[in-house]
């Protein structure tokens, strides 16, 4: 490609770009149909409260049960949805679906909060608050039952009007803002003190290196920073008992990861939470 570009001719590019554009349109159409046909699903992963040992929050993660390709992870289709604009429909579907599920759990006597992943593109468009309101109204859900997980990149421009009104709208509704993949963005720490964010989710790359002394120091520093600013701090990607124990000692609020539970269909959630509440896994993890 670079070679062709050096020749300075766009004629070589066009067919290739046209093919790419066509492929994108095809995938868009396929995902649009998938949404209509009910091929998308949400799975839920619990966050274990390291103070009380219970679970109050689960994160919703989208899956595409593709008729030919099997179950697809978000990495395989969310970027395409963002590129085509379909992410707004996908996001609305996620919100509606998750609220419906929250209502089912609530009606079954299991009051839970749900964390929803919102891509920067969704967050920057007007109307996301209205979409949330509609999802809430349909099932009697209130903002206190919902957290929006947004990555740091959105927050760099938190002084801009669109971001500001989103953040204010979240605050008015009592929705918690969680910063996802915390520590991996390129933003300065200074924004943290100005933001109405209630939760930091430490990126799992930091948890993965916790077994090394320097890695552990970093995680402890992030936990300390978050706690001193009055924020809840959740560790993502907790896979070993040693990591869990170190997180507990550091004063981390909650832990999420394969050690505690893998993302699961909603029907498995009540049983998993009961098991975690009983502390069985934790005893096993301590051994
Ligand atoms: P994320 O929000 O940081 O989600 C955490 C990811 O780590 C999930 O991957 C989860 O399955 C995985 N994970 C959880 N515990 C462990 C662990 O112990 N070890 C390892 N190695 N991985 C773990 P998943 O489901 O593939 O999602 C990837 C990303 O896709 C998410 O990252 C999120 O940014 C995005 N995403 C997921 N659902 C949605 C959605 O509904 N809408 C949008 N816009 N993005 C979504
Ligand atoms: Mg997330
Ligand atoms: Mg994350
Ligand atoms: Mg991540």
């Amino acid at each position: 490609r670079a070679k062709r570009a050096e020749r300075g001719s766009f004629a070589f590019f066009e067919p290739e770009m046209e093919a790419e554009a066509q492929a994108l349109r095809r995938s868009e159409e396929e995902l649009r149909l998938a949404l209509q046909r009910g091929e998308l699903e949400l799975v839920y992963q619990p966050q274990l409260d390291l103070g009380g040992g219970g679970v109050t929050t689960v994160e919703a993660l989208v899956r595409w049960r593709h008729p030919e390709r099997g179950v697809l992870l978000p990495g395989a289709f969310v970027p395409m949805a963002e590129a085509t604009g379909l992410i707004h429909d996908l996001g609305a579907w996620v919100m509606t679906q998750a609220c419906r599920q929250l209502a089912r759990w609530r009606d079954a006597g299991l009051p839970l909060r749900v964390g929803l992943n919102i891509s920067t593109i969704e967050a920057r468009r007007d109307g996301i608050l209205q979409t949330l309101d509609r999802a809430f109204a349909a099932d009697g859900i209130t903002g206190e039952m919902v957290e929006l997980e947004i990555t740091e990149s959105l927050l760099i421009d938190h002084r801009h009007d669109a971001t500001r009104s989103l953040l204010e709208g979240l605050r008015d509704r009592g929705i918690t803002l969680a910063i996802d993949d915390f520590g991996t963005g390129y933003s300065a720490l200074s924004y943290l003190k100005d933001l109405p964010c209630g939760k930091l989710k430490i990126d799992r790359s930091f948890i993965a290196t916790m077994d090394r002394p320097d890695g552990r120091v970093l995680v402890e520093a992030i936990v300390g920073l978050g706690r001193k600013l009055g924020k809840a701090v959740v560790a993502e990607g907790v896979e070993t008992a040693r990591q869990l124990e170190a997180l507990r000692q550091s004063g981390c609020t909650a832990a999420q990861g394969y050690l505690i539970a893998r993302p699961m269909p909603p029907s498995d959630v009540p049983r998993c939470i009961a098991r975690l509440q009983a502390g069985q896994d934790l005893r096993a993890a301590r051994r």
Side-chain angles (χ1 to χ4, degrees):
R1 246 194 219 211
K3 250 192 193 136
R4 290 182 191 175
E6 274 159 24
R7 277 190 235 156
S9 169
F10 285 99
F12 289 97
F13 263 108
E14 272 169 6
E16 204 179 298
M17 285 169 64
E18 181 49 34
E20 262 173 44
Q22 242 176 47
L24 196 61
R25 279 196 297 273
R26 266 199 306 276
S27 342
E28 178 187 5
E29 196 45 38
E30 204 190 358
L31 181 56
R32 194 188 302 284
L33 279 172
L35 271 164
Q36 288 165 13
R37 290 173 179 155
E39 290 171 16
L40 279 102
E41 298 174 0
L42 291 180
V43 288
Y44 297 86
Q45 189 178 33
Q47 294 172 6
L48 181 70
D49 184 339
L50 295 181
V55 174
T56 52
T57 308
V58 294
E59 177 175 6
L61 296 159
V62 70
R63 301 288 182 260
W64 179 356
R65 194 172 289 279
H66 193 284
E68 286 122 39
R69 294 160 66 198
V71 176
L72 302 182
L73 295 173
F77 59 94
V78 165
M80 175 270 287
E82 291 177 338
T84 56
L86 209 50
I87 192 69
H88 304 291
D89 291 343
L90 176 69
W93 179 85
V94 168
M95 291 174 212
T96 307
Q97 193 66 20
C99 286
R100 196 172 295 163
Q101 188 56 55
L102 273 184
R104 283 196 198 107
W105 282 324
R106 176 199 60 203
D107 296 345
L110 184 63
L112 282 174
R113 294 156 59 89
V114 75
L116 301 175
N117 291 284
I118 302 295
S119 81
T120 305
I121 291 173
E122 282 177 86
R124 288 210 173 107
R125 190 165 94 161
D126 281 350
I128 183 167
L129 289 166
Q130 287 68 29
T131 308
L132 269 172
D133 287 339
R134 274 195 297 275
F136 288 175
D139 293 292
I141 300 302
T142 57
E144 292 77 28
M145 299 163 80
V146 172
E147 296 180 359
L148 286 199
E149 301 195 2
I150 300 180
T151 55
E152 285 166 87
S153 55
L154 178 83
L155 304 169
I156 311 176
D157 59 11
H158 71 273
R159 283 194 187 80
H160 289 191
D161 288 349
T163 313
R164 258 188 117 101
S165 62
L166 170 68
L167 296 177
E168 278 162 18
L170 296 182
R171 202 189 38 207
D172 294 345
R173 288 162 179 77
I175 299 170
T176 298
L177 175 67
I179 304 185
D180 207 348
D181 304 338
F182 183 76
T184 58
Y186 35 85
S187 48
L189 287 175
S190 59
Y191 74 86
L192 265 185
K193 64 175 165 33
D194 307 325
L195 268 183
C197 107
K199 198 175 214 179
L200 304 182
K201 298 192 76 182
I202 309 177
D203 190 68
R204 81 175 136 84
S205 59
F206 292 100
I207 308 305
T209 52
M210 262 192 103
D211 293 337
R212 299 204 319 251
D214 52 346
R216 181 160 170 170
V217 165
L218 264 182
V219 171
E220 286 170 350
I222 297 173
V223 171
L225 176 72
R227 297 311 299 263
K228 279 179 192 138
L229 289 170
K231 301 179 192 311
V233 182
V234 182
E236 294 190 300
V238 179
E239 293 184 351
T240 72
R242 274 183 70 183
Q243 291 164 353
L244 184 63
E245 193 48 40
L247 287 163
R248 201 189 293 284
Q249 283 170 18
S250 75
C252 193
T253 319
Q256 184 180 348
Y258 294 165
L259 175 73
I260 294 141
R262 293 199 170 243
M264 66 193 82
S267 55
D268 289 353
V269 166
R271 208 172 344 125
C272 175
I273 289 181
R275 193 168 47 83
L276 289 169
Q277 230 115 24
Q280 287 165 16
D281 285 37
L282 297 193
R283 276 195 295 276
R286 282 215 189 90
R287 273 199 296 270

